[in-house]
Amino acid sequence: MDEIEYVWSVLGGDAALTARVARAARPEVLEARLPVRALASACVGACALAAAELAARRAAPGGVPAVRVDDGAVAAAFTSERHLRIGGREPVSFAPLSRLWRTADGWVRTHANYPHHRARLLAALGLARDTEDARAVDAVGSLLAGLPARSVEETVYAAGGAAVALRTPEEWAASEQGRAVAGRPLVERGVLDASPARTFAPVPPSAGALLPAAGLRVLDLTRVIAGPVATRTLALLGADVLRVDPPGLPELPDQHVDTGFGKRSATLDLTCDQAAFEELLGAADVVVTGYRPGSLDRFGLSPRALAARRPGLVVARLSAWGAYGPWAGRRGFDSLVQVGTGIAALEGTADRPGALPAQALDHGTGYLLAAGVLRALTEQSRHGGSRYVEVALARTAAWLSAGPAPDGASGAGRPHGVGGPSTMGTGSGARRVRAAGDAGGPGASPWLRERESPLGRLRYALPPVRFEGGPTDWERAPGPWGADAARWV
């Protein structure tokens, strides 16, 4: 089965509609041992097809519009943070303490981009939180070199930080969490109640671009990359997306810009502003959450609790490790999931773990989540019911690890799937990562654009989700974090 056919089947779509998708393959982008390019194009293609299907449901009597997936556009979007410029400035990427470290028996990966995670990492290792970065790197490196990797993992996690020991694919597959993830579908979907079928206002095909999510309100309770990519995509398609963050937990500024296109950004303290949240929920069509499973339940934000208060809602949930198994409550990020699930071992060398050519778990999972929401809306219009959609970075990682060889490759001799070798691979972990837009210098790619914004002049990657008659860019540029009112337009 072709990758997009597989994703479309997981989403419950009509198999005949995949004939509407055409792909422009570009083998030179997103090169890796694992089939990153195929995964990326399948996630984007399925999302675009779900958008086209909903557009046809609302406005197009001539049937589902044709979809085109260009690997170049997909690669640019999956590496959007590398192309972003804010007033000519390159964005800040990983913080000094977010890296791989040698340990006494292997490797561990830490994530300390957020100040509170940095402070917890240092506290777990007995270091002062105000230690200057260069000194902290030296001190952490010296300490970890004498400790077992899994001991570091447990110690940092217990302190509320984020660290994961390197595992081979076999070690991950044999673990309790690995088995729990393997037993779940790529996208989990379901019906929560018997609320009436959704009635859409028609979308006139002559009024500019065809926007299948026009008129829908999306409450965005996500952070980092995967969740914001999903809601950024819904904003592209016409939804009014309001991102809401706790006032004391600001998003990283450059990350906010990269994933903030098309949205408004507000702050709301759920511990004391529950009435304001309930007012937002009462007019929402979709709620998307990206915090650790269970962490929002005390605010009544589980799918069933939300649907009980707002029948007809679509609830979409994202997590790192899945909402099941012993790691359900653990913090996680793309880089950590690559290390924990064996991907870093497969993409590395005998001497050092490697990495995918993009944060493909984040981006791919984001497009899967958006596709799930769009399909849920289409199914609501036919059969009714409040609905939920759930995805996890670790589940996307399992699909990638078990996938076919990259386009044009036989796969012979390549570490592959959970049955791959227990070594860390023999290829070069230092290969050059190519992304669309490399050739011809900055700004030369047809998949990049510049525009003015409240934050200065931006260069950014265009959205890869395209269908005939659909939008090609976001209507709204990102603004300052938390600058908008916590209310619907």
mmCIF file of all heavy atoms in Angstrom, residues 196-223:
data_model
loop_
_atom_site.group_PDB
_atom_site.id
_atom_site.type_symbol
_atom_site.label_atom_id
_atom_site.label_comp_id
_atom_site.label_asym_id
_atom_site.label_seq_id
_atom_site.Cartn_x
_atom_site.Cartn_y
_atom_site.Cartn_z
ATOM 1 N N PRO A 196 -26.331 15.940 17.219
ATOM 2 C CA PRO A 196 -26.817 16.000 15.830
ATOM 3 C C PRO A 196 -25.714 16.294 14.818
ATOM 4 O O PRO A 196 -24.640 16.789 15.171
ATOM 5 C CB PRO A 196 -27.832 17.154 15.873
ATOM 6 C CG PRO A 196 -28.171 17.331 17.302
ATOM 7 C CD PRO A 196 -26.969 16.926 18.084
ATOM 8 N N ALA A 197 -26.013 15.991 13.572
ATOM 9 C CA ALA A 197 -25.059 16.249 12.496
ATOM 10 C C ALA A 197 -24.767 17.743 12.406
ATOM 11 O O ALA A 197 -25.638 18.580 12.636
ATOM 12 C CB ALA A 197 -25.618 15.746 11.168
ATOM 13 N N ARG A 198 -23.516 18.042 12.097
ATOM 14 C CA ARG A 198 -23.096 19.432 11.944
ATOM 15 C C ARG A 198 -23.671 19.998 10.645
ATOM 16 O O ARG A 198 -23.626 19.358 9.595
ATOM 17 C CB ARG A 198 -21.572 19.514 11.922
ATOM 18 C CG ARG A 198 -21.028 20.929 11.719
ATOM 19 C CD ARG A 198 -19.511 20.925 11.688
ATOM 20 N NE ARG A 198 -18.940 20.589 12.980
ATOM 21 C CZ ARG A 198 -18.708 21.472 13.947
ATOM 22 N NH1 ARG A 198 -19.021 22.748 13.763
ATOM 23 N NH2 ARG A 198 -18.174 21.088 15.091
ATOM 24 N N THR A 199 -24.174 21.208 10.731
ATOM 25 C CA THR A 199 -24.664 21.901 9.546
ATOM 26 C C THR A 199 -23.720 23.047 9.223
ATOM 27 O O THR A 199 -23.519 23.950 10.042
ATOM 28 C CB THR A 199 -26.085 22.457 9.773
ATOM 29 O OG1 THR A 199 -26.959 21.378 10.097
ATOM 30 C CG2 THR A 199 -26.592 23.167 8.530
ATOM 31 N N PHE A 200 -23.116 23.005 8.058
ATOM 32 C CA PHE A 200 -22.182 24.043 7.643
ATOM 33 C C PHE A 200 -22.889 25.108 6.830
ATOM 34 O O PHE A 200 -23.771 24.801 6.016
ATOM 35 C CB PHE A 200 -21.075 23.460 6.758
ATOM 36 C CG PHE A 200 -20.063 22.643 7.498
ATOM 37 C CD1 PHE A 200 -19.937 21.283 7.249
ATOM 38 C CD2 PHE A 200 -19.206 23.227 8.420
ATOM 39 C CE1 PHE A 200 -18.994 20.521 7.911
ATOM 40 C CE2 PHE A 200 -18.262 22.476 9.090
ATOM 41 C CZ PHE A 200 -18.150 21.116 8.835
ATOM 42 N N ALA A 201 -22.484 26.344 7.015
ATOM 43 C CA ALA A 201 -22.875 27.377 6.062
ATOM 44 C C ALA A 201 -22.069 27.133 4.791
ATOM 45 O O ALA A 201 -20.888 26.783 4.850
ATOM 46 C CB ALA A 201 -22.553 28.761 6.621
ATOM 47 N N PRO A 202 -22.664 27.273 3.620
ATOM 48 C CA PRO A 202 -21.919 27.028 2.387
ATOM 49 C C PRO A 202 -20.777 28.019 2.208
ATOM 50 O O PRO A 202 -20.859 29.156 2.667
ATOM 51 C CB PRO A 202 -22.977 27.187 1.291
ATOM 52 C CG PRO A 202 -24.063 28.001 1.910
ATOM 53 C CD PRO A 202 -24.055 27.667 3.371
ATOM 54 N N VAL A 203 -19.729 27.572 1.561
ATOM 55 C CA VAL A 203 -18.585 28.425 1.256
ATOM 56 C C VAL A 203 -18.645 28.763 -0.224
ATOM 57 O O VAL A 203 -18.461 27.883 -1.064
ATOM 58 C CB VAL A 203 -17.255 27.718 1.581
ATOM 59 C CG1 VAL A 203 -16.082 28.617 1.210
ATOM 60 C CG2 VAL A 203 -17.200 27.356 3.048
ATOM 61 N N PRO A 204 -18.915 30.007 -0.594
ATOM 62 C CA PRO A 204 -19.017 30.346 -2.021
ATOM 63 C C PRO A 204 -17.694 30.144 -2.740
ATOM 64 O O PRO A 204 -16.684 30.709 -2.321
ATOM 65 C CB PRO A 204 -19.403 31.836 -2.005
ATOM 66 C CG PRO A 204 -19.775 32.156 -0.611
ATOM 67 C CD PRO A 204 -19.108 31.150 0.259
ATOM 68 N N PRO A 205 -17.652 29.345 -3.790
ATOM 69 C CA PRO A 205 -16.387 29.103 -4.479
ATOM 70 C C PRO A 205 -15.854 30.325 -5.207
ATOM 71 O O PRO A 205 -14.679 30.375 -5.562
ATOM 72 C CB PRO A 205 -16.748 27.987 -5.479
ATOM 73 C CG PRO A 205 -18.217 28.074 -5.653
ATOM 74 C CD PRO A 205 -18.764 28.584 -4.360
ATOM 75 N N SER A 206 -16.704 31.346 -5.412
ATOM 76 C CA SER A 206 -16.255 32.524 -6.146
ATOM 77 C C SER A 206 -15.634 33.579 -5.246
ATOM 78 O O SER A 206 -15.084 34.564 -5.723
ATOM 79 C CB SER A 206 -17.444 33.146 -6.893
ATOM 80 O OG SER A 206 -18.464 33.508 -5.969
ATOM 81 N N ALA A 207 -15.730 33.419 -3.944
ATOM 82 C CA ALA A 207 -15.237 34.432 -3.008
ATOM 83 C C ALA A 207 -13.772 34.189 -2.674
ATOM 84 O O ALA A 207 -13.415 33.851 -1.549
ATOM 85 C CB ALA A 207 -16.086 34.420 -1.746
ATOM 86 N N GLY A 208 -12.887 34.383 -3.655
ATOM 87 C CA GLY A 208 -11.467 34.178 -3.423
ATOM 88 C C GLY A 208 -11.144 32.706 -3.299
ATOM 89 O O GLY A 208 -11.791 31.846 -3.898
ATOM 90 N N ALA A 209 -10.133 32.367 -2.469
ATOM 91 C CA ALA A 209 -9.729 30.975 -2.293
ATOM 92 C C ALA A 209 -10.816 30.189 -1.576
ATOM 93 O O ALA A 209 -11.553 30.709 -0.731
ATOM 94 C CB ALA A 209 -8.425 30.909 -1.506
ATOM 95 N N LEU A 210 -10.903 28.929 -1.904
ATOM 96 C CA LEU A 210 -11.858 28.029 -1.259
ATOM 97 C C LEU A 210 -11.318 27.662 0.118
ATOM 98 O O LEU A 210 -10.241 27.068 0.243
ATOM 99 C CB LEU A 210 -12.021 26.779 -2.126
ATOM 100 C CG LEU A 210 -13.142 25.804 -1.794
ATOM 101 C CD1 LEU A 210 -14.489 26.499 -1.801
ATOM 102 C CD2 LEU A 210 -13.125 24.662 -2.796
ATOM 103 N N LEU A 211 -12.031 28.031 1.169
ATOM 104 C CA LEU A 211 -11.573 27.851 2.545
ATOM 105 C C LEU A 211 -12.493 26.869 3.264
ATOM 106 O O LEU A 211 -13.544 27.254 3.785
ATOM 107 C CB LEU A 211 -11.541 29.190 3.283
ATOM 108 C CG LEU A 211 -10.637 30.269 2.681
ATOM 109 C CD1 LEU A 211 -10.814 31.584 3.420
ATOM 110 C CD2 LEU A 211 -9.172 29.822 2.718
ATOM 111 N N PRO A 212 -12.129 25.604 3.331
ATOM 112 C CA PRO A 212 -13.032 24.592 3.903
ATOM 113 C C PRO A 212 -13.297 24.754 5.384
ATOM 114 O O PRO A 212 -14.302 24.247 5.891
ATOM 115 C CB PRO A 212 -12.310 23.271 3.611
ATOM 116 C CG PRO A 212 -10.880 23.647 3.397
ATOM 117 C CD PRO A 212 -10.899 25.009 2.779
ATOM 118 N N ALA A 213 -12.406 25.467 6.118
ATOM 119 C CA ALA A 213 -12.616 25.653 7.555
ATOM 120 C C ALA A 213 -13.177 27.029 7.886
ATOM 121 O O ALA A 213 -13.214 27.412 9.056
ATOM 122 C CB ALA A 213 -11.301 25.440 8.308
ATOM 123 N N ALA A 214 -13.639 27.766 6.875
ATOM 124 C CA ALA A 214 -14.179 29.109 7.102
ATOM 125 C C ALA A 214 -15.355 29.048 8.070
ATOM 126 O O ALA A 214 -16.208 28.163 7.994
ATOM 127 C CB ALA A 214 -14.625 29.725 5.780
ATOM 128 N N GLY A 215 -15.368 30.003 9.001
ATOM 129 C CA GLY A 215 -16.462 30.085 9.958
ATOM 130 C C GLY A 215 -16.290 29.216 11.189
ATOM 131 O O GLY A 215 -17.090 29.302 12.117
ATOM 132 N N LEU A 216 -15.268 28.376 11.220
ATOM 133 C CA LEU A 216 -15.035 27.491 12.363
ATOM 134 C C LEU A 216 -14.096 28.152 13.365
ATOM 135 O O LEU A 216 -13.157 28.863 12.983
ATOM 136 C CB LEU A 216 -14.440 26.166 11.897
ATOM 137 C CG LEU A 216 -15.328 25.348 10.952
ATOM 138 C CD1 LEU A 216 -14.582 24.123 10.454
ATOM 139 C CD2 LEU A 216 -16.621 24.935 11.648
ATOM 140 N N ARG A 217 -14.345 27.902 14.637
ATOM 141 C CA ARG A 217 -13.521 28.466 15.708
ATOM 142 C C ARG A 217 -12.710 27.355 16.364
ATOM 143 O O ARG A 217 -13.275 26.360 16.822
ATOM 144 C CB ARG A 217 -14.412 29.159 16.735
ATOM 145 C CG ARG A 217 -15.029 30.448 16.197
ATOM 146 C CD ARG A 217 -16.059 31.016 17.139
ATOM 147 N NE ARG A 217 -16.419 32.371 16.764
ATOM 148 C CZ ARG A 217 -17.428 33.060 17.284
ATOM 149 N NH1 ARG A 217 -18.184 32.484 18.220
ATOM 150 N NH2 ARG A 217 -17.689 34.290 16.897
ATOM 151 N N VAL A 218 -11.400 27.558 16.400
ATOM 152 C CA VAL A 218 -10.470 26.553 16.922
ATOM 153 C C VAL A 218 -9.760 27.124 18.138
ATOM 154 O O VAL A 218 -9.056 28.142 18.052
ATOM 155 C CB VAL A 218 -9.427 26.148 15.859
ATOM 156 C CG1 VAL A 218 -8.422 25.157 16.445
ATOM 157 C CG2 VAL A 218 -10.120 25.560 14.630
ATOM 158 N N LEU A 219 -9.943 26.480 19.270
ATOM 159 C CA LEU A 219 -9.269 26.862 20.506
ATOM 160 C C LEU A 219 -7.980 26.068 20.599
ATOM 161 O O LEU A 219 -7.997 24.834 20.703
ATOM 162 C CB LEU A 219 -10.189 26.582 21.699
ATOM 163 C CG LEU A 219 -9.806 27.160 23.058
ATOM 164 C CD1 LEU A 219 -9.566 28.655 22.981
ATOM 165 C CD2 LEU A 219 -10.904 26.844 24.073
ATOM 166 N N ASP A 220 -6.860 26.768 20.528
ATOM 167 C CA ASP A 220 -5.533 26.157 20.401
ATOM 168 C C ASP A 220 -4.819 26.179 21.746
ATOM 169 O O ASP A 220 -4.348 27.229 22.194
ATOM 170 C CB ASP A 220 -4.754 26.944 19.337
ATOM 171 C CG ASP A 220 -3.334 26.438 19.123
ATOM 172 O OD1 ASP A 220 -2.948 25.437 19.757
ATOM 173 O OD2 ASP A 220 -2.613 27.040 18.311
ATOM 174 N N LEU A 221 -4.742 25.024 22.396
ATOM 175 C CA LEU A 221 -4.037 24.884 23.677
ATOM 176 C C LEU A 221 -2.808 24.015 23.454
ATOM 177 O O LEU A 221 -2.652 22.953 24.063
ATOM 178 C CB LEU A 221 -4.961 24.267 24.728
ATOM 179 C CG LEU A 221 -6.319 24.953 24.935
ATOM 180 C CD1 LEU A 221 -7.142 24.193 25.961
ATOM 181 C CD2 LEU A 221 -6.144 26.396 25.363
ATOM 182 N N THR A 222 -1.932 24.431 22.558
ATOM 183 C CA THR A 222 -0.750 23.645 22.215
ATOM 184 C C THR A 222 0.498 24.485 22.347
ATOM 185 O O THR A 222 0.436 25.725 22.414
ATOM 186 C CB THR A 222 -0.839 23.092 20.777
ATOM 187 O OG1 THR A 222 -0.716 24.180 19.840
ATOM 188 C CG2 THR A 222 -2.152 22.372 20.531
ATOM 189 N N ARG A 223 1.645 23.789 22.354
ATOM 190 C CA ARG A 223 2.939 24.473 22.447
ATOM 191 C C ARG A 223 3.957 23.749 21.571
ATOM 192 O O ARG A 223 3.717 22.665 21.063
ATOM 193 C CB ARG A 223 3.440 24.487 23.906
ATOM 194 C CG ARG A 223 2.570 25.339 24.819
ATOM 195 C CD ARG A 223 3.016 25.246 26.266
ATOM 196 N NE ARG A 223 4.345 25.804 26.488
ATOM 197 C CZ ARG A 223 4.587 27.109 26.605
ATOM 198 N NH1 ARG A 223 3.608 27.983 26.490
ATOM 199 N NH2 ARG A 223 5.806 27.538 26.834
#
